[in-house]
Amino acid sequence: MNSTDTDTVSDYQVQVAVPVPVRQTFDYLCDQCLVPGIRVLVPFGQRKLVGMVISNQKKPQGRELKQVEAVLDSHPSIDPALLNLVRWASGYYHHPIGEVLNAALPSLLRRSRRLENPLLEDQYRVHPGLNGSGAQAVLRRAPQQQAVFALISKSEWISLSGIKSQSGSSGNRDFNRLLSGLLDKHLIEKRTGVPGLDRGPRNAPDLRLTEGQQEIVNRISRCLGTFSSHLLHGVTGSGKTEVYIQLAKNCIERGGQALVLIPEIALTPQLAQRFTDHLGNGVCLFHSGMTALHRYRTWWKARRGVATVILGTRSAIFTPLKHPGIIIVDEEHDRSFKQNDGFRYHARDLAIKRASLEKVPVLLGSATPSLESIKNAESGVHRIYKLQTRIGPAQLPRIELLDLKRLPRFEGLSPPLLEAVSEVLENRQQAILFINRRGFAPVAQCHHCAWQARCDRCDAFLTYHRKSNTFRCHHCGKITGARSQCPNCSKDISHVGVGTQRIENILRRQFPRANICRFDRDEISTQRKLEKTLEEITRGRIDIIVGTQLISKGHDFPGIALVGIVDPDRGLYSTDFRAPEYLFQQLTQVAGRAGRSSSPGRVIIQTSHPENPYLQMILNQDIDQFYTHCTRERRQTGLPPYGFLALWRAESKNEFAGQRFLQYVRRLGMHLLSGSDPGRVRIMDPVSSPMEKLAGQYRAQLLVRSEDRKSLHRLLARWVRQVETAPRSRRVRWSIDLDPVDLF
Ligand code: ADP
Ligand code: ZN
Ligand code: ZN
């Protein structure tokens, strides 16, 4: 027992969620009434954990309970609506509420620190008692201090960050040292305060919306103030972003805040800039590339209602909003909205739930909506709007298929594609060659003895990276030195297949005078590099871009005349039932980079399977036929969105432990099903995952399918609880994934 003084009168009992992998809350005593959303420090076993009060009651029943050790918040960290969302998510995803809360709180608040204003900054001004010429004399021999002093004397109160940003490129000086020098000389004085947030000049004039855009903005604006859900299906370049901006503006004018989720902000700095240009400094970012303090600041501003727009990635769905106004999810089909480990939520689905809890409209937008959203639109859950043409003179690109069975190839590129590239170069336009594979070649093998370079920790080939002369595993990240001779028979190794480096290589040989850049995660390794490269592309300094899916996301490049898709065939024959949908989305998105200015673009797809129905639909840009086709298939097979899935996963260093565990899980489930009406749930057999070994762990999975959501959840609620409390569950790592996106 803890040495807490048990003699004090504890009038209250609270239920606390703590970040442990157990699906329950824990009871503690405390002597004040703590409302839900307050963080507390509680003893838990040998440890002390930061937890959150979920509910409370007067007159404790359990006299033997431990005491809350410290109360960390005077006001709830999480408001009731958000706490409801957390509760709902914990129930829906069958995930421990303490862990859900941990995902919802900024990382700084997961520690036992008190909620304090992260915006407080030290600010400086010239000492009021100073006479004009005095400083000059004192600082004659300290030019650096003099420069800082000059800066400070220009404004009323200025913060360190203000001084840094105004001193421009010479920002690497040790300002703290210079400032304390000036303070010592009594030339300046210091206070701690919150810098006034100037709403900022808007740099961009409002565009005149097209009739189509205006109509959509009007109709959704009328829904502000109540819950409703909307789907905007607009081709690439049709002006969806402009619709979001106008809607955010209307929402702000009515005193509301807009929460805008996008797949990857870091990749699209232009987009963030567009929002700030139109909506001013109230636009705050929230994403994983920011420091914890920065995220905390955005969180704080959002909660105080100072941030008017929160532009963020997946986890921003949990940003508190003082005046919730609208939630927008851009590129709603994007897979990055699904969290694939720990608390496995889908931010788009949570956005819809949150909008309903906060009573605000939610807008999903995409050029290639997910089948889930299309179905919801058809069944009347979402109102649907379409933008079918590009803005202004821009035309959708022409698409052509090249039959690789009839063409020779030079390291993956066929003569007609090379020809098209050279034409683009002659016209001083730009081309993108898209290949969704990094490195030089995906397989290194010996033709004599059939040896292949494989990762010893994963069921995967090693990819040869020429620039660093290494073999790399793209699954576990392992890097080893490359070899050029076979370890068995010492013959030369050959490289099969192509990756970005190989394509870059052949292009450099074919077009020695062109400016070529590779746009993949190896090359674009820092934010600076990304921004610099994007700028060079936009300014037309780059002629050919060889890129992975990094290049396909939302960039608005004016000069792209050609998009060449080097090898889409991998996506055609995958075991994943969603593969055609992904292929369609991906190709449509990359193709959408072409022809964004007045000259129409051209898209060339190389393939060995030109007869494939999905490629034919892409060729004809027949999106309706694509949806009809996929919908029919999913309906017949009972797959999402016409059926519901849950996936148990287990992994272990032991080759058989995962499967054995899932056999046990299955038995428990079958038992629960037999006791009641089995409903329309089917529990499949455990199997090894498509990639069984990953980073040294053997992985197995167990799929559960249901025709309706209710039966599935009713079963899972009891099932997960039983599994969780079984002692053998501690011997493997296991998880349950609701509405799984990644089945590997
Ligand atoms: P999407 O988000 O659908 O890809 P954008 O909103 O990025 O489309 O618009 C594509 C391009 O057209 C952008 O350069 C944008 O500035 C421009 N644009 C959008 N709406 C208008 C409009 N009403 N008038 C003029 N230009 C517009
Ligand atoms: Zn060999
Ligand atoms: Zn590996």
Side-chain angles (χ1 to χ4, degrees), residues 533-556:
T533 313
L534 287 176
E535 165 140 3
E536 284 182 343
I537 297 173
T538 311
R539 294 198 168 187
R541 300 227 180 93
I542 306 261
D543 304 312
I544 312 175
I545 304 141
V546 181
T548 57
Q549 48 94 25
L550 271 196
I551 199 73
S552 67
K553 308 237 167 169
H555 304 294
D556 194 12

PDB file of all heavy atoms in Angstrom, residues 533-556:
ATOM      1  N   THR A 533      13.243  21.986 -53.936  1.00  0.00           N
ATOM      2  CA  THR A 533      12.951  21.267 -55.169  1.00  0.00           C
ATOM      3  C   THR A 533      11.594  21.672 -55.739  1.00  0.00           C
ATOM      4  O   THR A 533      11.457  21.877 -56.946  1.00  0.00           O
ATOM      5  CB  THR A 533      12.989  19.747 -54.917  1.00  0.00           C
ATOM      6  OG1 THR A 533      14.165  19.445 -54.187  1.00  0.00           O
ATOM      7  CG2 THR A 533      12.983  18.979 -56.209  1.00  0.00           C
ATOM      8  N   LEU A 534      10.591  21.800 -54.860  1.00  0.00           N
ATOM      9  CA  LEU A 534       9.272  22.207 -55.344  1.00  0.00           C
ATOM     10  C   LEU A 534       9.364  23.566 -56.025  1.00  0.00           C
ATOM     11  O   LEU A 534       8.764  23.797 -57.084  1.00  0.00           O
ATOM     12  CB  LEU A 534       8.274  22.286 -54.181  1.00  0.00           C
ATOM     13  CG  LEU A 534       7.813  20.953 -53.597  1.00  0.00           C
ATOM     14  CD1 LEU A 534       6.899  21.180 -52.401  1.00  0.00           C
ATOM     15  CD2 LEU A 534       7.105  20.115 -54.652  1.00  0.00           C
ATOM     16  N   GLU A 535      10.147  24.452 -55.421  1.00  0.00           N
ATOM     17  CA  GLU A 535      10.280  25.779 -56.004  1.00  0.00           C
ATOM     18  C   GLU A 535      10.964  25.713 -57.373  1.00  0.00           C
ATOM     19  O   GLU A 535      10.549  26.360 -58.334  1.00  0.00           O
ATOM     20  CB  GLU A 535      11.079  26.665 -55.045  1.00  0.00           C
ATOM     21  CG  GLU A 535      11.576  27.919 -55.713  1.00  0.00           C
ATOM     22  CD  GLU A 535      11.474  29.141 -54.817  1.00  0.00           C
ATOM     23  OE1 GLU A 535      11.072  28.980 -53.647  1.00  0.00           O
ATOM     24  OE2 GLU A 535      11.806  30.220 -55.314  1.00  0.00           O
ATOM     25  N   GLU A 536      12.016  24.895 -57.460  1.00  0.00           N
ATOM     26  CA  GLU A 536      12.719  24.775 -58.741  1.00  0.00           C
ATOM     27  C   GLU A 536      11.809  24.211 -59.815  1.00  0.00           C
ATOM     28  O   GLU A 536      11.856  24.632 -60.969  1.00  0.00           O
ATOM     29  CB  GLU A 536      13.955  23.884 -58.586  1.00  0.00           C
ATOM     30  CG  GLU A 536      15.087  24.608 -57.887  1.00  0.00           C
ATOM     31  CD  GLU A 536      16.340  23.760 -57.777  1.00  0.00           C
ATOM     32  OE1 GLU A 536      16.235  22.524 -57.948  1.00  0.00           O
ATOM     33  OE2 GLU A 536      17.398  24.339 -57.514  1.00  0.00           O
ATOM     34  N   ILE A 537      10.953  23.264 -59.418  1.00  0.00           N
ATOM     35  CA  ILE A 537      10.031  22.687 -60.398  1.00  0.00           C
ATOM     36  C   ILE A 537       9.040  23.752 -60.853  1.00  0.00           C
ATOM     37  O   ILE A 537       8.808  23.948 -62.043  1.00  0.00           O
ATOM     38  CB  ILE A 537       9.273  21.482 -59.801  1.00  0.00           C
ATOM     39  CG1 ILE A 537      10.251  20.367 -59.445  1.00  0.00           C
ATOM     40  CG2 ILE A 537       8.239  20.967 -60.792  1.00  0.00           C
ATOM     41  CD1 ILE A 537       9.624  19.206 -58.693  1.00  0.00           C
ATOM     42  N   THR A 538       8.475  24.474 -59.882  1.00  0.00           N
ATOM     43  CA  THR A 538       7.476  25.485 -60.215  1.00  0.00           C
ATOM     44  C   THR A 538       8.064  26.576 -61.120  1.00  0.00           C
ATOM     45  O   THR A 538       7.405  27.078 -62.005  1.00  0.00           O
ATOM     46  CB  THR A 538       6.936  26.138 -58.926  1.00  0.00           C
ATOM     47  OG1 THR A 538       6.592  25.098 -58.024  1.00  0.00           O
ATOM     48  CG2 THR A 538       5.721  26.969 -59.208  1.00  0.00           C
ATOM     49  N   ARG A 539       9.349  26.894 -60.877  1.00  0.00           N
ATOM     50  CA  ARG A 539       9.968  27.936 -61.694  1.00  0.00           C
ATOM     51  C   ARG A 539      10.457  27.428 -63.038  1.00  0.00           C
ATOM     52  O   ARG A 539      11.075  28.185 -63.793  1.00  0.00           O
ATOM     53  CB  ARG A 539      11.155  28.520 -60.959  1.00  0.00           C
ATOM     54  CG  ARG A 539      10.728  29.238 -59.729  1.00  0.00           C
ATOM     55  CD  ARG A 539      11.802  30.150 -59.287  1.00  0.00           C
ATOM     56  NE  ARG A 539      11.281  31.049 -58.280  1.00  0.00           N
ATOM     57  CZ  ARG A 539      11.968  32.058 -57.793  1.00  0.00           C
ATOM     58  NH1 ARG A 539      13.169  32.300 -58.262  1.00  0.00           N
ATOM     59  NH2 ARG A 539      11.439  32.825 -56.877  1.00  0.00           N
ATOM     60  N   GLY A 540      10.263  26.154 -63.297  1.00  0.00           N
ATOM     61  CA  GLY A 540      10.649  25.621 -64.594  1.00  0.00           C
ATOM     62  C   GLY A 540      12.131  25.346 -64.722  1.00  0.00           C
ATOM     63  O   GLY A 540      12.647  25.188 -65.826  1.00  0.00           O
ATOM     64  N   ARG A 541      12.857  25.267 -63.621  1.00  0.00           N
ATOM     65  CA  ARG A 541      14.294  24.995 -63.715  1.00  0.00           C
ATOM     66  C   ARG A 541      14.588  23.508 -63.877  1.00  0.00           C
ATOM     67  O   ARG A 541      15.703  23.119 -64.125  1.00  0.00           O
ATOM     68  CB  ARG A 541      15.005  25.487 -62.457  1.00  0.00           C
ATOM     69  CG  ARG A 541      14.845  26.950 -62.224  1.00  0.00           C
ATOM     70  CD  ARG A 541      16.179  27.611 -61.901  1.00  0.00           C
ATOM     71  NE  ARG A 541      15.966  29.028 -61.674  1.00  0.00           N
ATOM     72  CZ  ARG A 541      15.761  29.544 -60.466  1.00  0.00           C
ATOM     73  NH1 ARG A 541      15.783  28.757 -59.410  1.00  0.00           N
ATOM     74  NH2 ARG A 541      15.551  30.832 -60.336  1.00  0.00           N
ATOM     75  N   ILE A 542      13.575  22.681 -63.674  1.00  0.00           N
ATOM     76  CA  ILE A 542      13.754  21.238 -63.814  1.00  0.00           C
ATOM     77  C   ILE A 542      12.980  20.783 -65.040  1.00  0.00           C
ATOM     78  O   ILE A 542      11.851  21.216 -65.260  1.00  0.00           O
ATOM     79  CB  ILE A 542      13.188  20.508 -62.576  1.00  0.00           C
ATOM     80  CG1 ILE A 542      13.791  21.078 -61.296  1.00  0.00           C
ATOM     81  CG2 ILE A 542      13.348  19.008 -62.700  1.00  0.00           C
ATOM     82  CD1 ILE A 542      14.909  20.331 -60.709  1.00  0.00           C
ATOM     83  N   ASP A 543      13.611  19.914 -65.839  1.00  0.00           N
ATOM     84  CA  ASP A 543      12.940  19.454 -67.059  1.00  0.00           C
ATOM     85  C   ASP A 543      12.231  18.123 -66.843  1.00  0.00           C
ATOM     86  O   ASP A 543      11.110  17.927 -67.294  1.00  0.00           O
ATOM     87  CB  ASP A 543      13.960  19.292 -68.192  1.00  0.00           C
ATOM     88  CG  ASP A 543      14.732  20.578 -68.429  1.00  0.00           C
ATOM     89  OD1 ASP A 543      14.075  21.632 -68.530  1.00  0.00           O
ATOM     90  OD2 ASP A 543      15.980  20.536 -68.461  1.00  0.00           O
ATOM     91  N   ILE A 544      12.901  17.202 -66.155  1.00  0.00           N
ATOM     92  CA  ILE A 544      12.293  15.886 -65.951  1.00  0.00           C
ATOM     93  C   ILE A 544      12.336  15.530 -64.467  1.00  0.00           C
ATOM     94  O   ILE A 544      13.370  15.657 -63.818  1.00  0.00           O
ATOM     95  CB  ILE A 544      13.042  14.775 -66.721  1.00  0.00           C
ATOM     96  CG1 ILE A 544      13.281  15.193 -68.171  1.00  0.00           C
ATOM     97  CG2 ILE A 544      12.266  13.469 -66.670  1.00  0.00           C
ATOM     98  CD1 ILE A 544      14.123  14.198 -68.938  1.00  0.00           C
ATOM     99  N   ILE A 545      11.202  15.089 -63.944  1.00  0.00           N
ATOM    100  CA  ILE A 545      11.124  14.664 -62.553  1.00  0.00           C
ATOM    101  C   ILE A 545      10.856  13.174 -62.544  1.00  0.00           C
ATOM    102  O   ILE A 545       9.894  12.715 -63.159  1.00  0.00           O
ATOM    103  CB  ILE A 545       9.970  15.379 -61.832  1.00  0.00           C
ATOM    104  CG1 ILE A 545      10.131  16.891 -61.965  1.00  0.00           C
ATOM    105  CG2 ILE A 545       9.888  14.957 -60.379  1.00  0.00           C
ATOM    106  CD1 ILE A 545       8.826  17.602 -62.183  1.00  0.00           C
ATOM    107  N   VAL A 546      11.712  12.420 -61.862  1.00  0.00           N
ATOM    108  CA  VAL A 546      11.468  10.986 -61.698  1.00  0.00           C
ATOM    109  C   VAL A 546      10.967  10.810 -60.272  1.00  0.00           C
ATOM    110  O   VAL A 546      11.706  11.031 -59.320  1.00  0.00           O
ATOM    111  CB  VAL A 546      12.768  10.176 -61.884  1.00  0.00           C
ATOM    112  CG1 VAL A 546      12.480   8.694 -61.730  1.00  0.00           C
ATOM    113  CG2 VAL A 546      13.374  10.469 -63.241  1.00  0.00           C
ATOM    114  N   GLY A 547       9.693  10.437 -60.110  1.00  0.00           N
ATOM    115  CA  GLY A 547       9.162  10.465 -58.755  1.00  0.00           C
ATOM    116  C   GLY A 547       8.341   9.260 -58.365  1.00  0.00           C
ATOM    117  O   GLY A 547       7.784   8.551 -59.201  1.00  0.00           O
ATOM    118  N   THR A 548       8.278   9.034 -57.059  1.00  0.00           N
ATOM    119  CA  THR A 548       7.380   8.036 -56.485  1.00  0.00           C
ATOM    120  C   THR A 548       6.066   8.736 -56.146  1.00  0.00           C
ATOM    121  O   THR A 548       5.870   9.882 -56.538  1.00  0.00           O
ATOM    122  CB  THR A 548       7.960   7.467 -55.183  1.00  0.00           C
ATOM    123  OG1 THR A 548       8.190   8.566 -54.305  1.00  0.00           O
ATOM    124  CG2 THR A 548       9.261   6.743 -55.433  1.00  0.00           C
ATOM    125  N   GLN A 549       5.230   8.079 -55.342  1.00  0.00           N
ATOM    126  CA  GLN A 549       3.956   8.701 -54.998  1.00  0.00           C
ATOM    127  C   GLN A 549       4.118  10.037 -54.262  1.00  0.00           C
ATOM    128  O   GLN A 549       3.181  10.802 -54.167  1.00  0.00           O
ATOM    129  CB  GLN A 549       3.062   7.751 -54.212  1.00  0.00           C
ATOM    130  CG  GLN A 549       3.720   7.062 -53.062  1.00  0.00           C
ATOM    131  CD  GLN A 549       3.509   7.801 -51.759  1.00  0.00           C
ATOM    132  OE1 GLN A 549       2.550   8.531 -51.621  1.00  0.00           O
ATOM    133  NE2 GLN A 549       4.401   7.605 -50.819  1.00  0.00           N
ATOM    134  N   LEU A 550       5.332  10.338 -53.803  1.00  0.00           N
ATOM    135  CA  LEU A 550       5.594  11.651 -53.213  1.00  0.00           C
ATOM    136  C   LEU A 550       5.200  12.778 -54.154  1.00  0.00           C
ATOM    137  O   LEU A 550       4.793  13.842 -53.715  1.00  0.00           O
ATOM    138  CB  LEU A 550       7.105  11.821 -52.953  1.00  0.00           C
ATOM    139  CG  LEU A 550       7.757  11.399 -51.678  1.00  0.00           C
ATOM    140  CD1 LEU A 550       9.118  12.041 -51.563  1.00  0.00           C
ATOM    141  CD2 LEU A 550       6.903  11.792 -50.499  1.00  0.00           C
ATOM    142  N   ILE A 551       5.342  12.538 -55.450  1.00  0.00           N
ATOM    143  CA  ILE A 551       5.101  13.604 -56.420  1.00  0.00           C
ATOM    144  C   ILE A 551       3.622  13.698 -56.792  1.00  0.00           C
ATOM    145  O   ILE A 551       3.166  14.670 -57.357  1.00  0.00           O
ATOM    146  CB  ILE A 551       5.964  13.374 -57.689  1.00  0.00           C
ATOM    147  CG1 ILE A 551       6.096  14.657 -58.503  1.00  0.00           C
ATOM    148  CG2 ILE A 551       5.410  12.264 -58.571  1.00  0.00           C
ATOM    149  CD1 ILE A 551       6.986  15.667 -57.898  1.00  0.00           C
ATOM    150  N   SER A 552       2.860  12.671 -56.403  1.00  0.00           N
ATOM    151  CA  SER A 552       1.476  12.625 -56.891  1.00  0.00           C
ATOM    152  C   SER A 552       0.522  13.435 -56.031  1.00  0.00           C
ATOM    153  O   SER A 552      -0.618  13.660 -56.382  1.00  0.00           O
ATOM    154  CB  SER A 552       0.996  11.173 -56.952  1.00  0.00           C
ATOM    155  OG  SER A 552       0.900  10.651 -55.649  1.00  0.00           O
ATOM    156  N   LYS A 553       1.001  13.886 -54.840  1.00  0.00           N
ATOM    157  CA  LYS A 553       0.072  14.465 -53.881  1.00  0.00           C
ATOM    158  C   LYS A 553      -0.158  15.953 -54.032  1.00  0.00           C
ATOM    159  O   LYS A 553       0.668  16.750 -53.614  1.00  0.00           O
ATOM    160  CB  LYS A 553       0.597  14.207 -52.474  1.00  0.00           C
ATOM    161  CG  LYS A 553       0.908  12.751 -52.240  1.00  0.00           C
ATOM    162  CD  LYS A 553       0.152  12.229 -51.079  1.00  0.00           C
ATOM    163  CE  LYS A 553       0.231  10.719 -51.045  1.00  0.00           C
ATOM    164  NZ  LYS A 553      -0.260  10.138 -49.848  1.00  0.00           N
ATOM    165  N   GLY A 554      -1.271  16.312 -54.611  1.00  0.00           N
ATOM    166  CA  GLY A 554      -1.771  17.676 -54.507  1.00  0.00           C
ATOM    167  C   GLY A 554      -0.916  18.833 -55.003  1.00  0.00           C
ATOM    168  O   GLY A 554      -1.278  19.971 -54.787  1.00  0.00           O
ATOM    169  N   HIS A 555       0.227  18.573 -55.612  1.00  0.00           N
ATOM    170  CA  HIS A 555       1.024  19.715 -56.050  1.00  0.00           C
ATOM    171  C   HIS A 555       0.388  20.366 -57.268  1.00  0.00           C
ATOM    172  O   HIS A 555      -0.176  19.704 -58.121  1.00  0.00           O
ATOM    173  CB  HIS A 555       2.447  19.277 -56.407  1.00  0.00           C
ATOM    174  CG  HIS A 555       3.139  18.560 -55.296  1.00  0.00           C
ATOM    175  ND1 HIS A 555       3.461  19.188 -54.126  1.00  0.00           N
ATOM    176  CD2 HIS A 555       3.537  17.280 -55.164  1.00  0.00           C
ATOM    177  CE1 HIS A 555       4.047  18.317 -53.317  1.00  0.00           C
ATOM    178  NE2 HIS A 555       4.087  17.143 -53.919  1.00  0.00           N
ATOM    179  N   ASP A 556       0.509  21.678 -57.312  1.00  0.00           N
ATOM    180  CA  ASP A 556      -0.069  22.416 -58.422  1.00  0.00           C
ATOM    181  C   ASP A 556       1.078  22.969 -59.261  1.00  0.00           C
ATOM    182  O   ASP A 556       1.513  24.091 -59.082  1.00  0.00           O
ATOM    183  CB  ASP A 556      -0.933  23.557 -57.834  1.00  0.00           C
ATOM    184  CG  ASP A 556      -1.851  24.160 -58.891  1.00  0.00           C
ATOM    185  OD1 ASP A 556      -1.979  23.566 -59.979  1.00  0.00           O
ATOM    186  OD2 ASP A 556      -2.418  25.221 -58.621  1.00  0.00           O
TER     187      ASP A 556
END
